[in-house]
Every structure is written in structure tokens, then in C-alpha cells.
Amino acid sequence: MKSAIIACFLCFLLSTAFTSPSNAGDTLTPRQPISDDGSTLTSDGGRFQLGFFSPVAGSPDRYIGVWYNISARTVVWVANRGRPITGRSGRLSMSENGRLLLTDGRSSTIYWSSSSPALVEPEARLLESGNFVVMENGSDPSSSAAWQSFDHPTDTLLPGMKLGWNLSTGLNRNITSWATSGDPSPGDYVAGIDVAGVPQLLVWSGTQQFWRGGPWNGIGFSGIPVMRQGNALTLHYEFASNSDEAVYWFYLESSTLLSRLVLNESGLLERFFWSDPGNLWVPLGVAPDTSRNPCDKRVSSCGANGVCGPRAPTCTCLQGFRPKNRRSWDDGCERDLPTAGCRSRTDTFVTVNNTKLPDTSKATANRSMASLDMCRDWCLRNCSCTAYAASNLSGNGNGCLIWTSDLYDLTLYDNEEAGQDLYVRQIESRPLNEGLSTNSLLRRASAFIIVSVILAAFLLSLLSCWIWRRKKRSLYCDEEETEGKDLDLPLFELNTIAEATDNFWMNNKLGQGGFGPVYKGRLVEGQEIAVKRLSKTSSQGVDEFKNEVMLIAKLQHRNLVRLLGCCIQGGERILVYEYMPNGSLDPFLFDDTKSVLLDWTMRRNIILGIARGLLYLHQDSRLRIIHRDLKASNVLLDKEMTPKISDFGMARIFSGEDTERNTRRVVGTYGYMSPEYAMDRIFSIKSDVFSFGVLLLEIITGRKNRGVYHSTVHLNLLSHIWSLWKEGKVMELVTQSIDHSLSGTEVLRCIKIALLCVQERPGDRPTMHSILKMLDNDNALEIEPSQPGFVDFRGHLDPTNSSIREQDLSLNYVSMTMPEGR
Ligand SMILES: *[C@@H]1O[C@H](CO)[C@@H](O)[C@H](O)[C@H]1NC(C)=O
Ligand SMILES: *[C@@H]1O[C@H](CO)[C@@H](O)[C@H](O)[C@H]1NC(C)=O
Ligand SMILES: *[C@@H]1O[C@H](CO)[C@@H](O)[C@H](O)[C@H]1NC(C)=O
Ligand SMILES: *[C@@H]1O[C@H](CO)[C@@H](O)[C@H](O)[C@H]1NC(C)=O
Ligand SMILES: *[C@@H]1O[C@H](CO)[C@@H](O)[C@H](O)[C@H]1NC(C)=O
Ligand SMILES: *[C@@H]1O[C@H](CO)[C@@H](O)[C@H](O)[C@H]1NC(C)=O
Ligand SMILES: *[C@@H]1O[C@H](CO)[C@@H](O)[C@H](O)[C@H]1NC(C)=O
Ligand SMILES: *[C@@H]1O[C@H](CO)[C@@H](O)[C@H](O)[C@H]1NC(C)=O
Ligand SMILES: *[C@@H]1O[C@H](CO)[C@@H](O)[C@H](O)[C@H]1NC(C)=O
């Protein structure tokens, strides 16, 4: 925010330094040069201007550049960066063959020039994209540019402008920061695409790597997690890597929006959006972002095979490695078992979750590999392969990256949606076994003894359990059996669960929820179960936990996932649920291949089911449960595609009943959180109603309401739908698998209900009870929804910092007064 204010102050300075320009069209020809008398070129639609300027008001230093022709004029390109003309004698002209020349009228010194393209009848035109193009008179600038400013960027990437290499010509487009805010000469930092190994985004400081944005993962750069939440509706990121080019670019769906990416003087990449009503550039994201990933500072801070993160910037070694030098991480880590060789068939891999992928300058990609298993195979067969990962996270594309060297600059994110899994080769040949993995031979020996003892104890307990089971069919959660009569919740042994899940084998992992990973398991009797291994952040004692679980086990409804039992043992807290063969709802909504399976009837049944389940939680059960994390991935589908809400009561387990105490932990998912919950931690059944509304819109449109919000532009589904709703065009957004002709009015009615659910004021939102009535009823809905509540994503980053929140809220306010139709 501060930078926006500074930027705007700068804009102000800049604008005072311009003299009022006279318009000379958009074209420069050999007969029509531009002098520093206020003449400018203005692009066809008026968005950009080219002319002379001084970055600091009153300074005699003059530059030729291109700027946004908006109230806060913003320079995006400078020709003579390091060589200003002193005084107003400058002249930009064109030679007969099409070479641009910047000269000082008095001395005829050449301050800057473009290449000589040898054209017959040349002209240079300032395009509406901001590109200044030299070409043959009258030809098409997009195909026949002989020279273009987009190939010689300054510090700014505009929509449609490419960063990176044309490999056939060797043209390398990179951006270089200004020296200072008042001096456009080349600064310390350069950002570009490095094509060694697998192409990566890099920022250099001089000849040193300053920061690594990492390889492209199909959605964004591995090191810029915010791109993953970026927006399918408005802002599109693209990357091409083939034998012709290795380039990144972005574009905007709507030509009325302005956005730019700048490498600033501190070496940070900042993205801005222009807010018309606010008359200012609003920062949307920055990379590297040390507030989200403290490790994201400089390259290789933990040395070879070291891992940084996820929270404090601390180094550890990868599993199977140990520090080379106890005093310094610069030396990194080496293999535990230096003598062991590679076994191309039996070596195993350990999964490192949520990573920014390590340096790929020595990696190799095969983008056409169709599955991770093939990738693993490729790595196994090559003895120098140390790790592998998917190269493409978008859609169901996979691709394969393998590393054949030590791993550098590997960092972990603490946000589960940010990173990606890396599979690191373990030289030892043994099954993956978390609990028993040991490093040295000595420890292995002692572990062996311990294991034998545990095994003996386990067998003994199995035996006694078997005897006891013959007397009684099930074990009860309460340890004192005599008091357990009315409680039907079995208490599972850790051993039983370990056995059922192959010792929590990673291949059995179904997913990772907010409260811990979920595994698929099969009991000895054959019943399939889903096992949720709770993370250890709960402060609850064993008794409190048991009480909560038993309360929750009593909630039984057709649209809630059934809890089968629990396990509290050895510091583990585990919940055992019935297994849902169809998995969660989200792939059915967002995967192109699966979404065609859901027609409107099925979608309507799913909506009704979720509503009934939620009503039961809110009102019909003995406990009033606020779910607090309702989202597509928390709705599971059984064989008949009946929706079942999962993870209900988790917020209760983790925080107890005292709502005031919960202020330290936000439970929930950006995108589904109501504004009052996200901003002020106020939750009620109406915050669940908000999430339900978002889910409803996702079910109808098949589009995800992403976690990045911005008030000033249509960056999320809610605001997009809201503006289409007001224009009466909302049916445009309805997913293709819904047949409009059959179900149009019903769908429209559901959208209206959804919009009622996501209204800004909790008091305006209906209860689940009235929502069900509205869904069940065919009568026209009299009530009209008001403005949805939008959440500003950045408000979450530091919720204790009220000043940031105030700023963001005021920006939100700006957006609400924004004229429609943009
Ligand atoms: C751009 O500049 C010209 C000339 O100063 C002005 O007439 C025009 O209104 C501007 N266009 C926009 C879109 O601001
Ligand atoms: C460019 O070509 C058009 C016709 O194609 C002609 O009218 C115009 O005068 C030419 N401009 C210059 C600068 O030669
Ligand atoms: C690379 O540059 C050449 C020459 O300008 C051009 O013909 C070619 O289309 C460019 N390749 C790509 C992939 O843009
Ligand atoms: C940036 O691009 C220029 C021009 O192509 C090139 O000379 C320079 O080496 C590049 N810098 C880096 C760090 O890639
Ligand atoms: C560069 O961007 C960061 C992040 O937005 C900001 O904190 C910093 O002040 C900027 N540096 C300059 C010199 O503007
Ligand atoms: C990439 O993988 C596919 C599928 O395994 C294989 O057919 C192809 O030859 C591989 N390409 C290269 C360059 O190794
Ligand atoms: C292993 O992979 C690397 C990188 O693709 C390659 O250079 C090397 O030749 C491969 N080694 C073997 C034994 O296949
Ligand atoms: C990634 O996968 C998606 C979906 O399969 C595909 O459309 C896209 O082209 C792939 N991207 C790359 C870089 O291979
Ligand atoms: C990654 O996830 C798997 C499966 O949940 C788990 O077994 C493993 O411990 C995790 N690895 C790390 C380093 O957290």
C-alpha cells in the first residue's frame, strides 16, 4: 500500500514534469520527426503516448519514452535510459531506411538509435498495446515489425509483451530496474528467463542470482505461488517452452483493464492494476514475497540437498541426507549412506510436500510423459537421477522433470495449496516407513530391538483383543467399558489403523485437509475406511477431545459423512470415517473430463443435499455446529452421488466451544470466507451461508472462486457474476453441461438464491431453513440480492495489522462505487 502511495506521488511528480503535449497522431516518418517542444505520438485509442519527459520535475535531463496516457502518467519504456539529453534540444527522427535516431539538435550527437532495418518506405507507429513498431508503411504491425520496443524492454512488462528468448534468433528480452525512482538508467537488477536445463524465471543482481522464480508448472512459476490462485476470469498467464522460444507473457481478458509488471529498484517484481475510481495503481502481488515464504530471499541459502522452511527460515537436510559441515549450511548436505549404490529397480522415493521446486538449471524435462509413474520409472532407470516431479500441474497434464545432480534452493511453503510435491530418491532399498526410518546402523540395531518389543506387545494385545472381542462385538471409545454402554463409537487401536493404511503409506493418501492428511484404508474384515490423521496443533486434552468426538459422532444425517470411530494413542489423534468411493465434489466441478458427468438434475440434487446437511448442523441437531470450512473439497460423494458434508465439527474439535478464544486460528479457505469472518473473525451460521452461496455458484458455473480478491477489478467469480447479474447476462457463465433450454429458470433462481447468500451484511443473508424453502418452491422470488461481500486477500496476510486492513477496506469501498460495465 505504501508503495502505491509512493508510486502515485511519483506519478504526480512525473505529470508535473510534462508540458501539455500537442498531438501528432500515432506515426513517425522520416519527414515527421518529434522535437522536445511538447509534441507527442498518441496511440490510436489514446491509451499510450510517446514523447520527451523528465522523471523529476524541473530536472534538465530529458528522455524519450512511452507512458500511459492516464491521470497518473506512468512511464513504461525509455529509449535513452542511461544517456539523457540536457535541455530541450532533443529530436527523435527516422532515417530513410527506417532507423530511429535520438539526437541533440545542437551538436548532432547520437544519444540513442535502433537497428537499421533497410526498409523502403518506413514508418514507426505507437500501437494501442504500448508497442512502438518500425515497419514498412501500411503493413500489419503484428507480423511485419522490423524493430519494436517490446523487444527492448525497460523495467516494465505490459500485457502481450514477452519476457524471454527467441531461440532461433538469440533475442533475449529481459527487464532491468531503474537505478532510482528519479533515474531510469539501468539499475542493479535484471529479470529474465534462464534457458539452462529447464527454463526458469530468474532475477539477477549483477552477475549473481538474486532470486529464482523457478520453472513453469503449467499454471505459474513454481516460486510465485500467488499465480496459482490467479485468475481464470481476467488475468491470463502464459508460458511457451519449445525449440523456437522460451517466453513468459500475460494478457487481460478485458481490454479496458490496465495491468503492468515492474521490476522495482529493490529487485522485486510487482504487479499493479489501475483503479479508475481511485485514480491510482493498486499493487496486486509481489515476488519474492518474504511475508508468505521467509525462505524466499536468495538462492541456495541451505546449500546442496538442504531444505528451507516452511515457517522460520531454517535449514534442514532432506531425508536420507546429513549436514556436511555442522558449522555452516553453505556446504549443504550429503547422503547418509555414502557407500550404497543405486538400485535401478528397488530404490524408493520420499515425498517432500509443498515445495518450490529446486533449481532446474541441471534438470531435464519430458513434457509429454503422461503419468507420474512413468516419470518415476524414468528416474529409477537413470542412476544419476536424484529426484523427480510433475512438470505440469494444470488440468490432468503431468509431464516429468528429473534432476540428475544435487538439489539446490529447495524451499517449503506452509500453505498447502502453494507448492508441489517433489520425490527424492532414497538410496537404501527398503519400504517407506515413516515411523521406523532410521539413519545410522547403530540406530537401526536399537530400533530393531525396540521394534521386536513393540511387535511382541502388539501380538499380545492382538491376542487379548481377540479373546475380548469374542465377548463383545465392538470396542468402545471410553476406556472404562462399564460406562460406555450408550456410546457407539469404537475406539480403534493405532496398530489396526496402521495396518489398514499400510502404515500411512503415501500411495494411500487421499488428500490433505486443513486438519491433517486423509488416507484410504481397508480393515482386516474388508471394510474400506477413510482415516484422518489430525495434525498436532490442537491444544485440547485427551478427555476434551474424546468428548468432542463423541458429541460429533452422534450427529447422523444422510448428508453428513459418518464417523466410524477414533483412535487416541501415542500422541496420535485419528478419526475414522466411512469411505466415499466417488471422492470429493471439486473434480466433478472443475475438471473438464468429469464435469460433463453432472447434468442439472444431479447438480440440483447435490445442492439440495448439501443444504439439508447444513441445515441439520445449524438447526436440527442437538448441537449447533458451524462448519466454518464448507467448500467443494469438503463435500464427498457416495456410490449414488449423494453429497455428504465432511469435516463438520472440526472447528469445534480444534477450538472447543469458546468462540472468543479462537482468534488465533483462522479456520477456512480463502474464496469461501465471508468478509466478516475473514476480516474480523466474526463467525456465525451466516458465515456458513456465505460459503454455501459461493459453493452454489461454483456448482452452477463450474468455475472456481479463487483466493485472490481484488476490489477494483473483476478478479473473482463473485464480482464477475454480480456484474453480469446486473446486466441480465448471468446465464452466459453457466457451465456447458447444464442444458439451458431445459433448466434455465431453475438455474437462474438458484443463482439468485446464491447471491442472497453472499450478500455483504450477514443479517441480509437467509438462514439455511429459508434457503431450503426457496430451493424447494417454484414461486417467484420477490426479494432482490444486494451487493456481495468481497474480501480483500491481502487483509489476511497480517490480520493483526489493522492499518493494512483499514486501507484495504477503504479500497473495497472505492470498488463499490465503481461504475458498471467495465
Ligand atoms: C490522451 O491524451 C490526449 C492528448 O493529451 C487527450 O486528448 C486524450 O483525452 C487522452 N486520452 C485518454 C484516454 O486519456
Ligand atoms: C503510406 O502509404 C499510404 C498509402 O498506402 C500513403 O497514402 C501514405 O502517404 C504513405 N505514407 C508515407 C509517409 O509514405
Ligand atoms: C523469432 O524471430 C524471428 C525474426 O524476427 C521471427 O521470424 C520468428 O517468428 C520469431 N520466433 C518466435 C517464436 O517468435
Ligand atoms: C539481458 O538482455 C540483454 C539484451 O539481450 C543481454 O545482453 C543481457 O545479457 C541479458 N541479461 C541477462 C542477465 O540475461
Ligand atoms: C519494491 O517492491 C516492494 C514490494 O512491493 C516494496 O516494499 C518496495 O518498497 C519497492 N521498492 C521500491 C524502491 O519501490
Ligand atoms: C518422453 O516420454 C514419452 C512417453 O514416455 C516418450 O515416448 C518420448 O520418447 C520421451 N521423449 C524424450 C525426448 O525422451
Ligand atoms: C541420465 O539423465 C541425464 C539427463 O537426462 C543424461 O544426461 C544421462 O545421460 C542419463 N544417464 C543414463 C545412464 O541414462
Ligand atoms: C499442461 O496440461 C494441460 C492440460 O492437460 C495442457 O492443456 C497444457 O498445454 C499443458 N502445459 C504444458 C506446458 O505442457
Ligand atoms: C508428505 O506427505 C506424505 C503423505 O501425507 C507424508 O507421509 C509425509 O510425511 C509428508 N512429508 C513431509 C516432508 O511432510
Side-chain angles (χ1 to χ4, degrees):
M1 199 47 49
K2 208 162 78 191
S3 60
I5 293 166
I6 293 170
C8 220
F9 177 61
L10 256 171
C11 301
F12 169 75
L13 285 182
L14 286 177
S15 56
T16 61
F18 290 93
T19 48
S20 73
S22 69
N23 203 330
D26 64 353
T27 309
L28 181 90
T29 64
R31 279 164 295 286
Q32 282 176 297
I34 293 179
S35 307
D36 192 0
D37 56 2
S39 311
T40 55
L41 301 182
T42 302
S43 63
D44 206 13
R47 177 167 293 176
F48 289 96
Q49 281 185 332
L50 178 143
F52 286 89
F53 73 99
S54 291
V56 178
S59 156
D61 291 344
R62 303 293 285 173
Y63 298 88
I64 196 102
V66 174
W67 57 84
Y68 274 108
N69 183 23
I70 49 180
S71 58
R73 281 178 185 171
T74 312
V75 175
V76 296
W77 182 74
V78 183
N80 54 325
R81 298 188 71 162
R83 289 196 71 189
I85 296 175
T86 310
R88 304 214 167 207
S89 56
R91 187 163 171 273
L92 180 67
S93 58
M94 181 182 257
S95 72
E96 289 301 326
N97 67 3
R99 183 182 187 204
L100 294 167
L101 288 167
L102 177 63
T103 50
D104 175 342
R106 282 178 302 235
S107 63
S108 298
T109 312
I110 297 175
Y111 282 78
W112 173 84
S113 70
S114 66
S115 56
S116 284
L119 298 176
V120 180
E121 207 182 318
E123 64 172 24
R125 202 185 304 160
L126 180 62
L127 305 180
E128 187 65 357
S129 60
N131 196 2
F132 188 43
V133 180
V134 175
M135 58 193 173
E136 206 66 75
N137 176 18
S139 57
D140 175 10
S142 62
S143 58
S144 47
W147 178 93
Q148 52 184 329
S149 64
F150 272 18
D151 280 345
H152 306 272
T154 306
D155 65 337
T156 303
L157 208 62
L158 294 172
M161 193 166 167
K162 288 178 170 179
L163 185 73
W165 293 76
N166 176 330
L167 294 168
S168 19
T169 59
L171 172 71
N172 176 16
R173 285 151 294 200
N174 52 36
I175 53 179
T176 308
S177 61
W178 283 29
T180 67
S181 57
D183 178 2
S185 59
D188 291 337
Y189 302 97
V190 179
I193 303 294
D194 183 19
V195 286
V198 174
Q200 306 185 80
L201 172 67
L202 280 182
V203 177
W204 290 267
S205 166
T207 54
Q208 299 278 309
Q209 283 187 18
F210 171 70
W211 175 73
R212 199 175 56 86
W216 187 256
N217 61 26
I219 306 170
F221 290 105
S222 181
I224 314 184
V226 75
M227 292 174 87
R228 300 251 309 250
Q229 299 156 334
N231 182 296
L233 299 174
T234 326
L235 185 57
H236 296 265
Y237 308 115
E238 297 288 342
F239 191 80
S241 174
N242 49 47
S243 56
D244 295 334
E245 54 180 354
V247 289
Y248 161 74
W249 75 100
F250 69 93
Y251 65 91
L252 296 155
E253 209 163 276
S254 158
S255 61
T256 56
L257 293 174
L258 310 184
S259 176
R260 63 195 168 101
L261 185 71
V262 181
L263 181 66
N264 81 12
E265 296 103 72
S266 332
L268 284 90
L269 288 164
E270 287 183 289
R271 178 175 291 286
F272 293 97
F273 263 89
W274 175 251
S275 160
D276 248 351
N279 262 332
L280 78 165
W281 287 102
V282 184
L284 185 71
V286 60
D289 186 351
T290 44
S291 70
R292 306 188 78 198
N293 181 359
C295 292
D296 219 358
K297 280 187 189 139
R298 63 194 169 84
V299 178
S300 302
S301 51
C302 294
N305 309 307
V307 186
C308 182
R311 284 195 179 79
T314 50
C315 295
T316 50
C317 285
L318 281 166
Q319 187 174 323
F321 291 79
R322 63 174 173 218
K324 235 180 194 168
N325 174 351
R326 294 254 160 229
R327 264 155 293 156
S328 159
W329 278 100
D330 293 345
D331 294 343
C333 310
E334 60 189 0
R335 289 260 181 217
D336 259 349
L337 297 167
T339 53
C342 140
R343 293 180 217 177
S344 58
R345 285 291 153 201
T346 52
D347 279 344
T348 57
F349 291 86
V350 61
T351 313
V352 186
N353 310 329
N354 282 333
T355 67
K356 163 175 153 184
L357 291 179
D359 190 349
T360 55
S361 60
K362 295 207 178 74
T364 312
N366 181 338
R367 298 191 191 274
S368 58
M369 219 163 247
S371 78
L372 261 185
D373 283 344
M374 290 166 82
C375 189
R376 178 194 169 97
D377 239 47
W378 189 28
C379 183
L380 269 179
R381 274 187 275 114
N382 185 329
C383 264
S384 14
C385 176
T386 49
Y388 71 91
S391 70
N392 186 358
L393 303 181
S394 108
N396 38 14
N398 258 312
C400 180
L401 290 179
I402 61 166
W403 282 260
T404 44
S405 63
D406 284 332
L407 304 175
Y408 284 93
D409 192 26
L410 174 58
T411 70
L412 302 181
Y413 296 110
D414 62 353
N415 170 352
E416 62 181 71
E417 286 176 6
Q420 86 176 80
D421 292 348
L422 175 76
Y423 305 89
V424 178
R425 188 182 209 134
Q426 303 291 292
I427 292 295
E428 237 179 326
S429 167
R430 61 176 162 81
L432 237 188
N433 189 328
E434 287 180 344
L436 305 178
S437 89
T438 50
N439 299 336
S440 71
L441 287 171
L442 194 68
R443 276 164 66 194
R444 297 188 81 200
S446 57
F448 177 73
I449 297 169
I450 295 170
V451 168
S452 329
V453 172
I454 292 176
L455 215 68
F458 170 61
L459 287 174
L460 254 171
S461 68
L462 258 187
L463 187 66
S464 54
C465 175
W466 180 72
I467 294 169
W468 187 69
R469 265 198 175 205
R470 301 196 61 164
K471 286 192 278 186
K472 197 162 181 143
R473 283 302 290 230
S474 64
L475 291 163
Y476 290 104
C477 202
D478 210 276
E479 273 154 11
E480 293 163 73
E481 307 144 42
T482 45
E483 288 177 18
K485 285 190 194 89
D486 61 330
L487 301 168
D488 281 331
L489 188 69
L491 181 72
F492 286 85
E493 293 286 332
L494 187 55
N495 283 329
T496 313
I497 293 185
E499 198 180 341
T501 59
D502 296 333
N503 209 354
F504 302 101
W505 191 33
M506 64 176 181
N507 283 20
N508 285 335
K509 190 167 159 182
L510 292 171
Q512 172 82 32
F515 304 97
V518 183
Y519 300 85
K520 182 180 173 178
R522 186 188 285 271
L523 295 175
V524 184
E525 307 90 83
Q527 186 184 3
E528 288 187 315
I529 54 173
V531 170
K532 176 157 226 155
R533 193 179 191 182
L534 298 184
S535 52
K536 293 174 184 160
T537 48
S538 171
S539 56
Q540 265 189 349
V542 169
D543 290 337
E544 280 171 284
F545 176 76
K546 243 194 272 181
N547 282 337
E548 281 300 322
V549 171
M550 273 184 302
L551 279 175
I552 284 156
K554 285 183 187 153
L555 301 178
Q556 301 234 353
H557 186 273
R558 182 180 143 76
N559 297 111
L560 300 182
V561 173
R562 205 153 70 85
L563 188 61
L564 301 177
C566 70
C567 168
I568 312 164
Q569 203 178 322
E572 293 277 1
R573 286 153 190 226
I574 291 170
L575 299 175
V576 180
Y577 293 97
E578 59 179 331
Y579 174 69
M580 291 288 140
N582 271 323
S584 70
L585 176 60
D586 52 336
F588 285 96
L589 298 184
F590 309 127
D591 269 16
D592 292 343
T593 47
K594 277 191 157 182
S595 66
V596 294
L597 302 173
L598 287 191
D599 61 11
W600 173 241
T601 315
M602 285 170 98
R603 283 176 202 255
R604 197 186 44 196
N605 286 341
I606 288 171
I607 292 169
L608 280 171
I610 299 169
R612 290 188 187 118
L614 205 54
L615 173 66
Y616 175 81
L617 288 178
H618 282 180
Q619 183 171 326
D620 293 350
S621 68
R622 275 188 286 165
L623 307 161
R624 170 173 283 213
I625 300 264
I626 301 170
H627 189 296
R628 287 206 270 171
D629 198 12
L630 184 68
K631 56 178 169 183
S633 59
N634 273 339
V635 173
L636 305 183
L637 299 166
D638 73 0
K639 272 209 302 285
E640 276 87 43
M641 298 294 282
T642 310
K644 302 201 177 222
I645 299 174
S646 74
D647 262 8
F648 55 92
M650 294 308 287
R652 227 182 120 106
I653 286 181
F654 270 80
S655 67
E657 272 183 272
D658 185 353
T659 59
E660 293 304 310
R661 249 192 332 194
N662 191 35
T663 47
R664 260 180 281 136
R665 184 183 164 90
V666 178
V667 197
T669 304
Y670 305 134
Y672 293 90
M673 269 193 240
S674 63
E676 76 277 6
Y677 180 33
M679 301 278 176
D680 303 322
R681 309 292 169 83
I682 299 171
F683 62 86
S684 65
I685 53 173
K686 295 299 185 67
S687 20
D688 272 358
V689 168
F690 185 96
S691 311
F692 176 77
V694 174
L695 184 53
L696 203 53
L697 291 173
E698 291 183 336
I699 293 174
I700 295 168
T701 62
R703 296 193 187 206
K704 219 178 181 115
N705 189 39
R706 304 260 178 178
V708 168
Y709 289 88
H710 209 276
S711 39
T712 46
V713 281
H714 290 325
L715 278 184
N716 74 35
L717 185 60
L718 291 195
S719 49
H720 197 57
I721 288 187
W722 176 243
S723 60
L724 288 178
W725 170 263
K726 298 222 296 196
E727 292 165 26
K729 296 195 288 200
V730 74
M731 289 302 283
E732 282 175 14
L733 221 57
V734 170
T735 178
Q736 289 181 340
S737 50
I738 296 180
D739 186 344
H740 294 194
S741 56
L742 291 178
S743 28
T745 49
E746 225 179 345
V747 172
L748 205 58
R749 179 186 179 81
C750 270
I751 294 178
K752 192 169 185 182
I753 295 172
L755 285 172
L756 288 170
C757 293
V758 297
Q759 291 177 105
E760 170 107 41
R761 293 189 39 233
D764 294 343
R765 297 174 207 149
T767 59
M768 286 317 295
H769 184 72
S770 32
I771 290 167
L772 260 166
K773 272 189 161 155
M774 292 186 230
L775 286 171
D776 274 340
N777 201 318
D778 289 338
N779 296 340
L781 275 176
E782 296 298 329
I783 178 164
E784 283 300 320
S786 62
Q787 165 91 39
F790 302 123
V791 184
D792 193 297
F793 184 60
R794 285 161 302 129
H796 296 299
L797 297 181
D798 184 4
T800 55
N801 187 336
S802 58
S803 66
I804 286 181
R805 274 163 55 201
E806 270 164 35
Q807 295 275 11
D808 290 342
L809 283 169
S810 64
L811 273 171
N812 261 341
Y813 179 71
V814 167
S815 76
M816 286 163 197
T817 58
M818 187 172 76
E820 282 307 310
R822 295 197 66 210

